[in-house]
Amino acid sequence: MEKLGLNEIREKFLAFFESKGHLRLPSFPLVPQGDASLLLINAGMAPLKPYFLGKETPPSKRVTTCQKCIRTPDIECVGLTARHGTFFEMLGNFSFGDYFKKEVTQWAWEFITKVLEIPEDRLWVSVYEEDKETVDLWVKNVGVSPDRIVYLGKEDNFWEIGTGPCGPCSEIYFDRGEEYGCGKPDCAVGCDCDRYVEFWNLVFTQFDKDENGNYNRLAHPNIDTGMGLERIACIMQGVTSIFEVDTIRRILDAAADMAKLTYGKDRNTDVSLRVITDHIRSTVFLVSDGVLPSNEGRGYVLRRLLRRAARHGKLLGIEGPFLYRLARVVANESRQAYPELERNFNYIEKVIKTEEERFDETIDQGLEILKGYIDALKAENKTELPGEQAFKLYDTYGFPIDLTKEILAESDMQVDENAFKELMDRQRSRARSARGDMEDAAWEEDIFAVFEGNTEFTGYDAVETEAVVLGIGKDGGLTETAETGDEIIVVLDKTCFYAESGGQIGDTGVLQNADCMLAVLDTKKKNGKFLHKCMVKQGTIKTGAKITAKIDVDRRRAIGRNHSAVHLLQAALRNVLGSHVAQAGSYVSEERLRFDFSHFEAMTPEQLAQVERQVNEKILEDIPVNCFETSLEEARKIGAVALFSEKYGDRVRVVKMGDYSIELCGGTHVASTGKLGLFRILSEGGVAAGVRRIEGVTGMGVLQALDSCEAILHHAAGALKTTPKELVHKIDGLHEELRECRREIDQLKSKLAKDALGSVMDGAQEVGGTLVAARLLDPGMDMNTLREIGDNLKQQQKDAVIVLASEVGGKVNIIAMATKEAAAKGAHAGKIISVVAKTMGGGGGGKPESAQAGGKDPAKAEEALSQVAGLVAEQLGV
């Protein structure tokens, strides 16, 4: 058989099934679209579940894909073995009620033996032991020799998950040869050894299992197949490890070059190289699909992978961020099949580099603290790290719990996970309590599910609509009538009220007829029905009544101005900052707009001014705003910007502002950009790792913002007894006075430090030949002053340990220092200071020769410092 590259195999597979009438679909994103049951796509059929379950109509009854997938349950094994990985590609061909067993078995054999040219004498087929129909097809229709077929039980060759669609499956194996076998007489397909490799699974979904355990035949059975691309590449290239496959090996070699190592020379370095190689593949694809590092959900998966890889880089001696450079190799190897890697590369690179730099700032200190914990456990003959310490590493130093567990495992230790989880739950509870209950219970319950059909929305063109009351909700249930003073939810057959969606808040206004008048306080949407939250102001409203719905037009217009400004803002940000900018959230009200976007550093004043100016230029051009529906494919062709995580149907709504901004959006907008009046940025700041936020205003909001600024300016001028015109000059003069005062303070502090030098070593104790001085100095000394005293004393003393403290504002500043000679003998400033600070109700740490900490209880200072000589004695072993 011909040795084929991974990219060649992928293309041959997809082209083959296209020739059999299949629609080739691009890989779906790793972030599931509209499927809350999955954190990440982990199988080729996962994105196609709505088609298999009949919830959506597939674009074709025959589909073929190469789906990118992430699985992390075996992450601890990645690197230790040659086959475990978190990222993989799954080739598949699928039938949604079209062809079945006869065609799929025939095509599978044709592809394997004719296209890939794998010799038939190296192939085996397994079938479900009760599936005689499939055996006959393999033998009589395909021509497989009966002695090459193996019968396996339900555990191996029957696919089902609880109740619902299920069925038998048939797997195809490659025989690698006796040299890979276990040598046992009964070694055959199904054996745990490395000889027989399963590489293609054909699932025949032909039953519907009910709650009584009955398997009922489906009228339209389906086909779901899956072949691991990396696994078949191993076979075609004659290698035993996924890390030897051509595209993956080139990533591994690049990592080895960075570490100045040769793969295959040392087991430990090989493990690290494999971890880095696998994890950077996962990382690049996750970031490209819109996942950002965080401490929750799929963001945590990404952070865990990134930080695990970064730590293994440190184990190999690679200094500083390096994974972002490897990202280019990954993109180069896969960009032909996944062009989004090239389109999003600047974004990918910046996300990875930012997270590496963030972790690099704390990893050394965290590793030092964890090492201290491990040493303490060994000294006490213990093997379990307390959950409180693991939580501190996570919360303060950004160590994922899995990384802590992995490092502990290297010393045959573990962590008290129950205590850690309890602390995590407490933290989440506090966060939930802080957020409060954001939703009213009546909004959560779908009490209107009994009414068929959806609410017709007329609000793009109308501000007033005649409608019929379909249902009234009150106190969590349905009611036929509501009277003055009642707070209710009303569902209409049609409405002009926009329901909160896409960051735009819901409309307000009135519902009225001859019998009643209701104030609409908010509008939301649930399962296709618009829910109008109302207060009955007068009269009685009844189910079935005809009513006039009128929105607050002025409020709607103000919201529309801010929403259109968000579109202009995103386009300007992409022009000024780069194409990596992507929407991460938005909020649009009548008062202001908020836009969250992917970017990895604070914007400069010049950049903010440039963005603001560009938006205002487009406002003054008075560009027409065209809103229209089209196909998703056509929208993509004209360059419409879409959200990473949004699920779109076949028909989408496009909001187009000339050629400057083209976005998919269901919100309400102005007729032309000139209606915005002006745009003003109020603030810019960070809200999460790699996510920035801009708040701004339009129209009258700009005038209000300018009035507010002018009022502040006059107040500041008055406070400084000058005029607004002279304010800057006045402030410059005050700055000069302040600088002079600081110079005098620094001189006084320096004198204070010199005066203290002579007294610190008075009464110093000698411990094993090392001078130990622990003194509480005069109040008011900051850390810099204490460090200056300590540094001067270290220069004067050859072999000494110095611990100094000073009360400042009801707390205590503490520094500890050890000379090189003292540290060489075993003295450790960081460990000394951790004990001293703890006695004073504080904490801190550092390196053997220098450390600093803070204490909360000055009354315990003398007691804490009295421990220092004893701690040094323990460290020196005297």
Side-chain angles (χ1 to χ4, degrees):
M1 57 189 182
E2 184 183 357
K3 185 175 181 179
L4 297 174
L6 181 139
N7 290 322
E8 291 179 274
I9 297 169
R10 183 198 299 111
E11 180 55 33
K12 282 180 179 291
F13 180 92
L14 296 172
F16 174 81
F17 280 100
E18 276 186 308
S19 74
K20 303 299 182 185
H22 290 64
L23 173 66
R24 182 198 295 215
L25 292 179
S27 174
F28 290 82
L30 285 166
V31 177
Q33 310 293 291
D35 184 354
S37 68
L38 281 178
L39 191 65
L40 293 164
I41 295 299
N42 59 6
M45 64 79 64
L48 306 174
K49 278 199 299 184
Y51 304 147
F52 282 114
L53 296 174
K55 293 181 178 179
E56 294 182 19
T57 302
S60 169
K61 287 191 173 183
R62 297 181 181 186
V63 165
T64 184
T65 65
C66 182
Q67 177 62 46
K68 47 196 175 186
C69 303
I70 295 278
R71 287 183 192 168
T72 57
D74 297 326
I75 189 172
E76 291 82 7
C77 297
V78 174
L80 297 177
T81 72
R83 59 185 179 179
H84 281 93
T86 59
F87 176 83
F88 62 97
E89 297 177 66
M90 187 62 74
L91 297 165
N93 57 290
F94 309 93
S95 167
F96 307 108
D98 186 23
Y99 63 82
F100 199 46
K101 293 181 181 180
K102 178 181 178 182
E103 293 85 353
V104 74
T105 51
Q106 187 172 317
W107 291 335
W109 201 253
E110 181 183 348
F111 178 72
I112 295 167
T113 60
K114 304 300 183 188
V115 178
L116 297 185
E117 299 180 348
I118 299 177
E120 292 188 21
D121 62 3
R122 304 289 296 274
L123 297 171
W124 292 79
V125 175
S126 72
V127 295
Y128 175 46
E129 57 192 2
E130 297 180 16
D131 188 8
K132 308 302 181 187
E133 176 189 13
T134 300
V135 175
D136 287 343
L137 285 170
W138 278 121
V139 174
K140 297 176 182 178
N141 188 59
V142 179
V144 176
S145 174
D147 60 8
R148 309 293 292 185
I149 296 177
V150 176
Y151 299 84
L152 297 177
K154 202 169 188 180
E155 183 178 340
D156 296 297
N157 278 97
F158 197 95
W159 184 88
E160 65 179 339
I161 302 177
T163 58
C166 59
C169 60
S170 184
E171 297 175 311
I172 305 173
Y173 291 77
F174 178 78
D175 181 359
R176 296 169 65 195
E178 288 185 16
E179 63 271 27
Y180 293 98
C182 56
K184 296 177 182 177
D186 59 348
C187 181
V189 170
C191 183
D192 290 333
C193 71
D194 293 332
R195 177 172 177 176
Y196 299 97
V197 179
E198 180 269 312
F199 64 91
W200 202 349
N201 188 14
L202 316 178
V203 179
F204 315 127
T205 312
Q206 62 191 72
F207 299 117
D208 182 10
K209 184 182 179 183
D210 62 29
E211 293 180 355
N212 297 319
N214 299 313
Y215 292 91
N216 305 299
R217 280 269 180 179
L218 288 171
H220 302 288
N222 302 312
I223 288 294
D224 161 23
T225 83
M227 174 161 59
L229 178 57
E230 290 84 358
R231 189 170 291 189
I232 189 63
C234 282
I235 291 171
M236 297 306 298
Q237 295 176 24
V239 297
T240 59
S241 163
I242 61 171
F243 297 98
E244 295 289 344
V245 170
D246 59 337
T247 57
I248 303 172
R249 180 58 191 259
R250 283 193 280 272
I251 301 167
L252 186 146
D253 286 341
D257 287 344
M258 289 181 182
K260 298 179 174 58
L261 294 169
T262 301
Y263 182 66
K265 293 287 184 68
D266 179 87
R267 183 186 181 279
N268 290 331
T269 59
D270 285 355
V271 167
S272 292
L273 287 170
R274 288 194 290 263
V275 168
I276 292 167
T277 300
D278 170 76
H279 289 6
I280 190 59
R281 292 180 79 215
S282 297
T283 293
V284 167
F285 280 93
L286 282 167
V287 175
S288 179
D289 281 352
V291 180
L292 286 168
S294 71
N295 287 335
E296 295 288 342
R298 57 183 67 97
Y300 178 72
V301 173
L302 173 58
R303 172 161 285 169
R304 182 182 175 191
L305 292 166
L306 252 167
R307 295 192 168 185
R308 190 169 188 256
R311 180 195 169 238
H312 277 276
K314 281 198 169 289
L315 291 177
L316 296 179
I318 302 174
E319 293 297 328
F322 71 99
L323 293 170
Y324 77 96
R325 290 187 283 138
L326 272 182
R328 169 45 70 190
V329 186
V330 178
N332 287 347
E333 293 299 327
S334 301
R335 63 186 174 185
Q336 188 173 355
Y338 304 102
E340 65 270 20
L341 295 180
E342 197 59 47
R343 289 197 305 269
N344 300 334
F345 187 73
N346 289 340
Y347 170 77
I348 294 167
E349 187 178 50
K350 287 186 179 181
V351 169
I352 295 172
K353 188 177 183 184
T354 299
E355 180 66 12
E356 280 194 276
E357 289 171 343
R358 189 181 298 273
F359 189 44
D360 208 42
E361 290 171 2
T362 57
I363 185 172
D364 287 336
Q365 195 172 2
L367 286 171
E368 185 69 27
I369 289 172
L370 181 53
K371 182 179 180 298
Y373 291 159
I374 292 172
D375 290 343
L377 289 172
K378 287 179 179 177
E380 297 174 17
N381 291 318
K382 294 180 180 179
T383 59
E384 185 174 76
L385 182 74
E388 295 83 359
Q389 293 178 336
F391 182 76
K392 180 182 178 182
L393 285 166
Y394 166 83
D395 199 41
T396 306
Y397 300 100
F399 266 51
I401 182 64
D402 308 277
L403 185 53
T404 300
K405 285 164 59 179
E406 183 175 317
I407 295 171
L408 286 169
E410 292 168 4
S411 298
D412 295 322
M413 293 180 177
Q414 59 187 14
V415 67
D416 183 349
E417 290 192 66
N418 290 330
F420 174 83
K421 288 175 182 174
E422 185 179 337
L423 289 165
M424 286 294 296
D425 289 340
R426 283 186 206 166
Q427 187 185 64
R428 292 189 186 107
S429 295
R430 287 193 297 270
R432 282 194 294 269
S433 297
R435 287 194 298 268
D437 184 9
M438 300 300 291
E439 291 291 343
D440 188 73
W443 296 88
E444 291 295 322
E445 299 175 14
D446 190 9
I447 58 176
F448 301 102
V450 294
F451 301 110
E452 294 184 3
N454 297 331
T455 304
E456 179 188 348
F457 179 60
T458 64
Y460 287 136
D461 304 309
V463 296
E464 182 176 323
T465 296
E466 300 300 319
V468 175
V469 177
L470 293 181
I472 303 170
K474 179 183 175 184
D475 298 329
L478 293 173
T479 183
E480 289 296 314
T481 63
E483 301 177 343
T484 302
D486 286 342
E487 291 187 17
I488 60 175
I489 297 172
V490 177
V491 171
L492 307 174
D493 65 334
K494 55 185 175 181
T495 185
C496 52
F497 283 75
Y498 183 83
E500 180 180 327
S501 179
Q504 179 175 329
I505 64 173
D507 277 334
T508 59
V510 296
L511 304 179
Q512 61 185 25
N513 60 21
D515 300 318
C516 64
M517 195 278 282
L518 289 74
V520 179
L521 308 176
D522 197 2
T523 311
K524 294 185 186 291
K525 186 164 71 170
K526 191 173 183 68
N527 296 331
K529 297 180 180 65
F530 284 60
L531 312 181
H532 305 79
K533 186 175 184 179
C534 301
M535 170 68 77
V536 183
K537 292 295 185 180
Q538 63 183 50
T540 301
I541 184 172
K542 298 180 181 179
T543 300
K546 292 183 179 179
I547 203 157
T548 301
K550 296 181 180 179
I551 65 171
D552 182 334
V553 176
D554 289 340
R555 182 175 180 271
R556 162 74 80 82
R557 286 173 179 164
I559 293 169
R561 284 194 291 270
N562 285 335
H563 201 154
S564 295
V566 164
H567 286 222
L568 292 175
L569 174 60
Q570 177 167 208
L573 286 167
R574 289 173 68 87
N575 287 340
V576 173
L577 301 180
S579 59
H580 66 276
V581 168
Q583 181 174 332
S586 68
Y587 175 77
V588 179
S589 71
E590 72 273 27
E591 295 172 347
R592 64 177 57 198
L593 62 93
R594 186 178 73 214
F595 184 68
D596 296 345
F597 58 99
S598 51
H599 191 55
F600 312 97
E601 57 190 359
M603 292 179 65
T604 65
E606 293 77 17
Q607 288 171 332
L608 287 169
Q610 196 175 348
V611 166
E612 188 176 81
R613 176 175 291 278
Q614 199 171 115
V615 172
N616 281 307
E617 285 173 353
K618 296 304 170 184
I619 291 172
L620 294 176
E621 287 179 27
D622 198 21
I623 303 168
V625 178
N626 296 317
C627 303
F628 58 91
E629 284 195 359
T630 186
S631 68
L632 180 59
E633 183 180 356
E634 186 60 33
R636 283 175 173 153
K637 284 181 181 177
I638 63 175
V641 176
L643 290 177
F644 273 126
S645 57
E646 190 71 25
K647 183 181 180 183
Y648 298 100
D650 291 335
R651 300 292 295 176
V652 292
R653 185 168 181 264
V654 177
V655 177
K656 188 173 186 290
M657 302 177 185
D659 294 327
Y660 186 72
S661 169
I662 308 172
E663 290 191 39
L664 303 187
C665 178
T668 62
H669 291 269
V670 295
S672 66
T673 60
K675 301 290 186 184
L676 272 63
L678 281 175
F679 168 71
R680 179 79 173 176
I681 292 175
L682 298 180
S683 65
E684 188 273 346
V687 292
V691 179
R692 309 294 298 177
R693 171 174 292 171
I694 282 179
E695 295 195 11
V697 287
T698 61
M700 294 300 292
V702 176
L703 184 60
Q704 291 168 4
L706 292 174
D707 287 344
S708 176
C709 287
E710 189 171 359
I712 292 170
L713 186 65
H714 280 283
H715 180 78
L720 295 178
K721 295 182 174 57
T722 187
T723 64
K725 188 175 180 180
E726 295 295 320
L727 185 59
V728 173
H729 179 70
K730 182 75 171 180
I731 290 172
D732 286 342
L734 288 172
H735 275 159
E736 185 54 42
E737 286 183 36
L738 186 59
R739 276 194 291 269
E740 186 59 36
C741 288
R742 283 175 176 163
R743 277 195 292 269
E744 291 179 12
I745 291 169
D746 288 342
Q747 288 171 1
L748 288 170
K749 283 182 178 180
S750 182
K751 184 177 183 301
L752 189 65
K754 288 177 182 176
D755 291 344
L757 279 176
S759 62
V760 169
M761 299 307 293
D762 291 345
Q765 297 175 252
E766 186 173 323
V767 178
T770 297
L771 282 176
V772 179
R775 294 291 301 273
L776 178 64
L777 302 180
D778 291 337
M781 294 191 184
D782 59 18
M783 283 294 189
N784 287 334
T785 304
L786 290 177
R787 265 196 300 271
E788 185 179 348
I789 296 171
D791 287 337
N792 286 328
L793 287 170
K794 278 178 70 176
Q795 291 175 9
Q796 295 176 9
Q797 305 296 327
K798 183 177 181 183
D799 185 355
V801 173
I802 300 144
V803 181
L804 306 175
S806 175
E807 181 184 349
V808 180
K811 296 183 179 180
V812 186
N813 290 331
I814 317 162
I815 64 104
M817 292 187 174
T819 62
K820 287 185 179 179
E821 290 80 354
K825 290 162 66 176
H828 195 296
K831 293 178 181 178
I832 292 170
I833 208 167
S834 66
V835 176
V836 172
K838 188 176 181 181
T839 304
M840 286 185 262
K847 297 179 180 179
E849 294 183 22
S850 179
Q852 70 179 50
K856 297 177 182 177
D857 188 356
K860 295 284 185 69
E862 293 287 4
E863 177 190 343
L865 292 169
S866 69
Q867 304 172 86
V868 173
L871 293 170
V872 174
E874 287 179 20
Q875 292 177 348
L876 301 186
V878 297

